[in-house]
Amino acid sequence: MAKKKNDDVTETTVDVPPNKVQYKGVRKRPWGTYGAEITNPIKKVRVWLGTFKTEEEAARAFDTAARMYHGPKAKLNFPPTNEVNLENANNIET
């Protein structure tokens, strides 16, 4: 039996404009650094998390704050690591 070649497969690429960021809670500053912020769900105000050199550092700062405000159900930029899972397991009251 001969294998069929699948010609229906197409490669998809995502074009991101130069000033557009890919992460939730991250903004690119005009001078090239990245700022991170999150909204405090209780006080309904924005909380400035800081300015970072890379987009990824800012996104990780957002993730940390999101876990603090929203707990294990927070919508994150990166999947949770095993360290975070262990930390959450240790915080459960018995």
Side-chain angles (χ1 to χ4, degrees):
M1 278 180 98
K3 291 185 180 179
K4 288 185 177 180
K5 183 178 177 184
N6 190 354
D7 292 330
D8 295 335
V9 177
T10 58
E11 185 175 324
T12 305
T13 58
V14 177
D15 292 328
V16 178
N19 290 334
K20 186 78 174 167
V21 289
Q22 303 176 47
Y23 299 109
K24 182 178 174 73
V26 177
R27 290 190 289 166
K28 186 170 183 182
R29 311 293 280 174
W31 44 89
T33 58
Y34 296 89
E37 64 184 5
I38 190 169
T39 302
N40 181 332
I42 297 168
K43 295 182 179 180
K44 307 287 191 235
V45 295
R46 284 185 288 181
V47 177
W48 182 252
L49 302 174
T51 303
F52 302 89
K53 290 183 180 181
T54 67
E55 194 174 4
E56 185 176 300
E57 289 175 350
R60 292 198 184 277
F62 174 86
D63 284 0
T64 301
R67 276 195 235 65
M68 184 179 73
Y69 285 123
H70 301 288
K73 294 188 178 190
K75 294 181 182 175
L76 306 174
N77 290 308
F78 302 103
T81 61
N82 286 336
E83 293 175 7
V84 173
N85 292 336
L86 290 174
E87 183 179 311
N88 289 337
N90 290 335
N91 289 336
I92 296 174
E93 293 182 24
T94 55

